[in-house]
Amino acid sequence: MQELDLGILKNGKFIRQGISYPGLMASRIKKSSSFLQPLFEAFSNSWEAVCGNDYDITIELCHNKAQTLFGEECSFSSLQIVDHGYGFTDESFERFSRLFDKTKNKNNLGTGRVQFLHSFQYTQIDSIYLESDGCKYRRRILLSLSFEDKHKAVICATTPTKVEYDSEIQTIVAFFSVLDDEDRKKINKLSCVEIKDIVLKRYLNKFCLEREHLNKIQINHYVNEAFDNEGSAAITIDDIPTPDYEDSFDIHYSILGEKGKSIDVCMDTEKFEIRGYKLPSSILPKNEVRLTSKGESFATPGCDFALITEAPRIESHICFLFLISSNYLTQKDSDVRGNLDIYTRSHFLENRNLFMGRKEILIDDIETKAEDKIIARYPSFRQAKDKADENLDALAKMFSINRKTMEDAGVKSSDSDSVILRKVYTHSANRKAENDTKIKIIVDSISNLDPNDKRFQSQLNKKVSELNKALPISVKEELSNYIARRTLVLSLMEQAINERLKIQLKEKTGKKSGKKGNSKSQPEAILHNILFPKHSSSPIESNLWMLNDEYIHFEGLSETELNDVIIGGKKLFKENLSSEEEAYKLRNQGTLDVGMRRPDVLLFPEEGRCIIIEFKAPGVDVSKHLHQINQYASLIHNLSDESFKFNSFYGYLIGENADIYSVIDSDGDFQFSQSLGYIVRPHKGIPDLFGRGAASLYTEIIKFSDLLKRAKLRNKIFTDSING
C-alpha cells in the first residue's frame, strides 16, 4: 500500500503533449457515468500486462475511520491496482506520453488516463521493470489536471533509476482524492465484495476464456493502514462458471433508403457470438444481457433486453448472464472504454443526414437476434415474449397505431407502454415536422400565382391538389370526424327542440327516468347541456359554435356562482369591497347575496369584454326574463376586480317562446331583424354606481329553432363539399 508522494514534482519532469486537456475533457472525452471507470481502465491494463504469465493482480481499497459526534464515519483514502507484468518500460512510457497513439493497436488509444483526470485529483504510478539492457529500473509518474494551468501539462515523471536486480517487477497505479461529491459518497461506502462482484461481471468473458490459467485476483481492504482480513475478498477459479450455453448468429448491415425515410437490408453481414452463464443471485440479482468489447462486458446505452432481464428466474437462486461478442463491437469501441458507437433504428432514421451512404449494424437487430436465440434455447422465456406481443397488439388497437408505424419508430415488444407511446409519438412528430415543411412550401408558393392570369383557376386547383396530397391521413380523418360530430349534434338539437328524445317522450307519457325535478328530464337543462354542459369550464369542448364559431375559443364557464368565477387565475369579484359595494352585493338586510347567482354561460373573449348567455325552456315566455342579462351585466360591471375593466357586454337570451310584440312592448329599444330572424337591442347603458365609467350592453333574443337553422346552413357548406 503506497502513500501519495508529491516529491515526484520536485524530482520529475513535466511532459508536455501539445494538447489542452480541459478542452479535450469538456468536448471529446467526457467523464464516464461509472465512478469506477478509472479502476476498469487500470485493471484492463494490468490484465493485458500479466495475462498468460501466471502473475497475480491485487486491488487495494483503503479507508480511514474516525469517531465523530454522529458515530463512526468512513472516508476514502486511496484505491490501488498492483500487478507484476512487464511494467512501464521505455517503450510503454513513450506510448503513454502520446495521446491517441495507435502503435499498440487501433482500439487502444491511451485515452483511459483521461478518466483518471476526470475522477481523481492525483494518480500515482510506481513501476519497477526489466529493460532490454538486462537491468531493472524504477520509474515514478504523477498525473493531475491541476498541473495544467502552471505547467501546460498533466504528467510529471521522474528519470528512471537503476535498482537491484533482485527487486520484484511490479507496477502500482494508485488513485487519491475524489473530485466529484457524488462519486465520493459512493466510494466512501464501497466494499471489496462489491468490487469483486462488479469486476467479475465486467470481465467474466475474459475470465472464462482464461479459466484454466486464471491469475488470482486479490481484493484487499485496509482501514487506517491496517489490513482488514474480514473485509477483503478474492476472485478465483471457483468463481468462474463454465458456459451453460454457446451459439452464434449473423446480422445483416442496414442502410438508409434512397430518400432517407426507410431502412434497407444489405447483403453484408457480421458474425456475433453469445454465451450464457449461470450465476448465483447473490452476485447477479436478475438476468442480464451485456455486449462485450476486448473481452470486457458492460451495459450499453440504447440497448434494452427487457424481455430477458425482466423475465422471472428459470432456476431458484440462479440468474443468467448472457454475453454477446463480435469483432464489429470491438471496432466500434470509442475513446471511453465500453462506449460503443452503435445506433438504434430510430436514431438511424432521425439523423439520416449523418448516415446517408453508411451501412451500420443496428442495436434493434442485435436485440432481436439475441432474444430469438435465447428463447429458442430456454423455452421458459417464451412466455414473457408471448405476453409482450399480446400487450403490443392491445396497445396498437387501443390507440389506433399502425404496426408498421411501431416498427419504423423502433418499438420492441419488451418496451413498456410509456416507452412504446413515447417512441411512436416522437417518430410521428418528426414525420409531421417533415410534412409540415412540405405544406409550408406549398402555401408559400401561392404568392407566385397571378389572379389576372387566364390559367389562375387551374394553377390554384393544382396547388389545392398538392396540398391535399401533403396532408396526412390523420388530418383528413380529424376533419371528417369534426364535421361528422357537428352533423350529429345538429340532429340531436333538432330532436331536443321538437321533444323527440326518448327522455322527453318518457316525461310526456309520465314515465319519469328519475326523481321529480331531475335535471336530466328538464327541457331547459337538455338544451343547455347540448350547447354547453352545466358546471363545465371548457368552451372548446362545447357546441357554442352553433351561436358563433369564435365562442368555443374564449375562456368561459357554465352554471357557476359569480362568487366562484375565476378568470386567468384571478377572482371575478374584487376581494375588498367598500361599504357601499358591500350593501349593493348583500341585499335585503344581508339575507340575499347576489354573488350566489349563476348565469347559464359566461365568456371572456378579451380584456373589457364579457358575453352572457341565458337559456329558457321552450315553453317559457322570454319577454318576462329580459331583466336577467341586464342585472348580470350590472353586477359584473360594478363588482368585478378593477383590473378587468369590463365596459362592453354582449347578451344572448335563447328560448323558443320569443314573441316579438311582447318583447318590444316590454322594451321599446328592441328591434326585429326579419332577414336574420332574431330580436336585437344594439345598446343599453349599464349604471355606473361606483365610478367604474360608462358601459354598454348589446342584446340578442334568438329562438332555438332559428339558432339551429343558422348552424345547419354553416355546416351544409362542409357536408356539400364532402358529398360532392
Side-chain angles (χ1 to χ4, degrees):
M1 184 182 68
Q2 283 201 340
E3 294 183 356
L4 176 64
D5 183 7
L6 296 179
I8 296 173
L9 300 177
K10 295 181 180 179
N11 303 320
K13 177 183 177 183
F14 286 95
I15 311 298
R16 294 190 177 183
Q17 298 174 287
I19 295 172
S20 170
Y21 271 87
L24 177 76
M25 294 163 67
S27 59
R28 177 169 175 179
I29 309 176
K30 297 185 178 182
K31 184 179 182 297
S32 169
S33 58
S34 172
F35 76 102
L36 287 178
Q37 188 64 31
L39 169 65
F40 300 147
E41 298 288 348
F43 185 88
S44 296
N45 291 334
S46 291
W47 180 268
E48 291 172 4
V50 305
C51 186
N53 293 320
D54 295 328
Y55 294 133
D56 296 341
I57 296 175
T58 303
I59 299 172
E60 297 177 348
L61 176 63
C62 307
H63 283 113
N64 291 323
K65 279 189 178 179
Q67 196 70 31
T68 69
L69 292 174
F70 304 101
E72 195 174 60
E73 290 190 358
C74 187
S75 61
F76 172 76
S77 175
S78 67
L79 179 64
Q80 310 188 21
I81 298 90
V82 183
D83 70 67
H84 302 280
Y86 46 77
F88 258 73
T89 63
D90 290 345
E91 181 184 354
S92 299
F93 184 71
E94 282 297 314
R95 283 199 304 271
F96 183 77
S97 302
R98 295 192 300 269
L99 194 64
F100 304 121
D101 181 88
K102 296 183 179 180
T103 56
K104 192 173 184 181
N105 66 61
K106 66 178 181 179
N107 294 116
N108 284 316
L109 304 180
T111 54
R113 82 196 66 159
V114 180
Q115 295 303 320
F116 301 170
L117 300 172
H118 270 302
S119 299
F120 294 95
Q121 184 174 359
Y122 296 107
T123 301
Q124 182 173 290
I125 302 172
D126 193 339
S127 182
I128 297 175
Y129 56 92
L130 179 66
E131 201 48 89
S132 57
D133 61 3
C135 297
K136 290 183 179 179
Y137 295 85
R138 184 184 186 189
R139 173 179 274 116
R140 305 178 73 203
I141 304 168
L142 198 62
L143 285 82
S144 178
L145 191 62
S146 63
F147 304 157
E148 175 77 18
D149 287 343
K150 184 176 180 180
H151 303 284
K152 304 302 178 187
V154 297
I155 301 173
C156 182
T158 61
T159 301
T161 56
K162 189 179 290 187
V163 296
E164 296 293 330
Y165 189 79
D166 58 355
S167 298
E168 185 179 27
I169 292 176
Q170 71 171 13
T171 298
I172 303 173
V173 179
F175 303 111
F176 301 92
S177 300
V178 184
L179 294 174
D180 183 83
D181 289 339
E182 290 302 315
D183 287 355
R184 187 181 301 111
K185 291 176 185 177
K186 294 174 184 176
I187 207 165
N188 283 345
K189 299 177 181 179
L190 187 65
S191 71
C192 289
V193 172
E194 287 177 287
I195 292 178
K196 173 182 176 177
D197 292 346
I198 293 168
V199 170
L200 184 61
K201 282 192 287 185
R202 183 174 180 105
Y203 296 93
L204 186 61
N205 213 36
K206 282 180 183 283
F207 296 160
C208 288
L209 293 174
E210 298 290 332
R211 188 176 188 277
E212 300 305 317
H213 307 282
L214 180 70
N215 311 84
K216 183 179 179 183
I217 299 164
Q218 186 67 40
I219 306 165
N220 292 334
H221 190 219
Y222 291 85
V223 179
N224 296 339
E225 300 184 6
F227 178 63
D228 172 21
N229 185 57
E230 289 186 5
S232 299
I235 298 175
T236 67
I237 191 172
D238 295 331
D239 295 306
I240 311 304
T242 56
D244 186 69
Y245 159 64
E246 293 182 82
D247 204 346
S248 64
F249 51 88
D250 293 332
I251 297 181
H252 288 271
Y253 278 88
S254 292
I255 193 169
L256 289 168
E258 185 178 347
K259 295 183 179 180
K261 295 181 180 179
S262 60
I263 296 176
D264 297 332
V265 177
C266 301
M267 292 299 294
D268 298 339
T269 62
E270 288 284 353
K271 184 177 182 180
F272 286 73
E273 294 180 344
I274 183 169
R275 294 183 180 88
Y277 301 92
K278 292 181 178 180
L279 292 175
S281 55
S282 57
I283 295 177
L284 195 69
K286 67 175 186 177
N287 301 321
E288 283 193 37
V289 183
R290 291 182 165 216
L291 304 186
T292 68
S293 170
K294 293 179 276 188
E296 298 177 37
S297 66
F298 29 76
T300 306
C303 278
D304 181 10
F305 293 91
L307 192 67
I308 306 301
T309 58
E310 301 302 324
R313 291 177 188 164
I314 295 176
E315 298 180 26
S316 179
H317 305 299
I318 294 292
C319 289
F320 279 84
L321 175 62
F322 296 98
L323 301 180
I324 300 170
S325 59
S326 171
N327 288 333
Y328 179 82
L329 297 177
T330 299
Q331 292 165 9
K332 288 292 184 176
D333 214 338
S334 65
D335 292 332
V336 179
R337 195 187 298 263
N339 279 10
L340 304 181
D341 292 327
I342 55 177
Y343 312 98
T344 62
R345 185 182 184 89
S346 57
H347 183 86
F348 198 50
L349 283 169
E350 289 165 13
N351 298 274
R352 58 180 61 88
N353 292 335
L354 298 176
F355 295 112
M356 285 302 292
R358 282 174 52 180
K359 59 180 184 179
E360 300 283 343
I361 298 290
L362 301 182
I363 290 176
D364 307 66
D365 294 330
I366 298 174
E367 292 172 359
T368 300
K369 285 279 190 177
E371 286 174 349
D372 288 346
K373 285 289 183 179
I374 294 170
I375 290 169
R377 173 63 177 83
Y378 301 100
S380 299
F381 287 116
R382 169 62 64 184
Q383 187 176 358
K385 168 71 171 170
D386 292 341
K387 186 177 180 181
D389 285 339
E390 288 174 9
N391 180 66
L392 198 61
D393 289 335
L395 206 64
K397 184 177 180 180
M398 180 184 297
F399 292 95
S400 301
I401 302 172
N402 187 283
R403 287 301 294 266
K404 180 66 168 61
T405 301
M406 284 186 167
E407 181 183 336
D408 291 342
V411 167
K412 301 186 293 293
S413 57
S414 57
D415 287 338
S416 66
D417 291 353
S418 60
V419 170
I420 291 171
L421 294 175
R422 194 180 305 121
K423 284 183 177 180
V424 168
Y425 294 151
T426 300
H427 173 73
S428 298
N430 291 335
R431 293 294 296 272
K432 183 179 183 299
E434 291 178 8
N435 222 50
D436 286 351
T437 303
K438 289 181 183 178
I439 292 171
K440 186 176 185 302
I441 291 171
I442 295 169
V443 173
D444 289 346
S445 70
I446 291 294
S447 61
N448 297 323
L449 296 181
D450 179 5
N452 294 321
D453 193 320
K454 291 180 180 180
R455 299 169 298 168
F456 171 68
Q457 287 298 334
S458 63
Q459 290 173 341
L460 180 60
N461 290 338
K462 183 180 178 182
K463 292 294 180 186
V464 171
S465 179
E466 290 175 2
L467 183 61
N468 185 53
K469 288 179 181 177
L471 288 174
I473 296 296
S474 58
V475 172
K476 297 174 184 177
E477 288 178 349
E478 188 174 339
L479 180 59
S480 179
N481 288 336
Y482 175 80
I483 296 168
R485 184 182 188 278
R486 289 196 168 195
T487 301
L488 288 175
V489 168
L490 291 172
S491 177
L492 180 68
M493 187 72 170
E494 184 171 23
Q495 292 184 56
I497 292 171
N498 295 319
E499 298 184 343
R500 293 205 305 268
L501 297 177
K502 282 187 177 181
I503 192 170
Q504 295 170 316
L505 294 173
K506 287 180 180 178
E507 184 76 20
K508 282 185 177 182
T509 58
K511 298 177 180 178
K512 297 185 179 181
S513 59
K515 295 179 181 179
K516 185 176 181 180
N518 190 328
S519 63
K520 291 183 179 180
S521 61
Q522 291 176 355
E524 179 189 330
I526 289 173
L527 295 165
H528 186 153
N529 284 320
I530 290 175
L531 286 163
F532 193 169
K534 289 187 175 186
H535 312 296
S536 169
S537 58
S538 181
I540 192 68
E541 296 177 2
S542 75
N543 291 306
L544 288 178
W545 54 267
M546 295 176 68
L547 182 61
N548 189 317
D549 270 300
E550 290 185 3
Y551 288 1
I552 64 173
H553 302 293
F554 299 156
E555 185 175 1
L557 31 74
S558 170
E559 195 78 10
T560 301
E561 284 189 12
L562 290 170
N563 286 331
D564 298 330
V565 174
I566 295 176
I567 311 167
K570 182 185 289 185
K571 280 201 167 189
L572 171 65
F573 279 0
K574 63 185 293 187
E575 298 283 356
N576 300 312
L577 299 176
S578 66
S579 56
E580 292 84 0
E581 291 168 336
E582 188 78 24
Y584 177 65
K585 185 172 185 287
L586 302 175
R587 305 178 187 182
N588 294 348
Q589 298 181 342
T591 60
L592 173 65
D593 180 1
V594 294
M596 297 177 67
R597 292 182 177 175
R598 297 184 298 180
D600 286 342
V601 175
L602 287 178
L603 299 174
F604 306 98
E606 59 186 35
E607 184 179 288
R609 296 173 64 196
C610 175
I611 297 169
I612 305 166
I613 304 173
E614 281 294 307
F615 305 115
K616 297 302 169 187
V620 174
D621 184 355
V622 171
S623 64
K624 295 181 179 179
H625 297 273
L626 299 178
H627 64 284
Q628 273 188 295
I629 290 179
N630 300 354
Q631 289 179 340
Y632 286 137
S634 182
L635 290 172
I636 293 171
H637 176 59
N638 288 293
L639 294 179
S640 62
D641 191 284
E642 287 94 336
S643 62
F644 293 123
K645 302 176 183 178
F646 288 119
N647 52 32
S648 296
F649 293 86
Y650 303 84
Y652 296 90
L653 188 56
I654 306 174
E656 195 59 21
N657 187 4
D659 180 65
I660 301 168
Y661 301 112
S662 295
V663 172
I664 294 175
D665 285 345
S666 300
D667 189 334
D669 291 334
F670 276 101
Q671 305 164 16
F672 177 57
S673 176
Q674 187 73 41
S675 59
L676 298 176
Y678 65 91
I679 307 167
V680 61
R681 183 177 60 196
H683 171 81
K684 181 177 179 61
I686 303 296
D688 176 21
L689 302 178
F690 309 113
R692 296 296 182 91
S696 64
L697 169 64
Y698 168 94
T699 310
E700 286 185 21
I701 299 174
I702 314 169
K703 288 184 177 182
F704 283 113
S705 53
D706 287 329
L707 187 66
L708 180 64
K709 288 176 186 176
R710 286 194 213 173
K712 279 186 173 181
L713 284 172
R714 285 202 302 274
N715 202 57
K716 189 173 185 295
I717 297 171
F718 296 108
T719 54
D720 285 355
S721 297
I722 290 176
N723 296 328

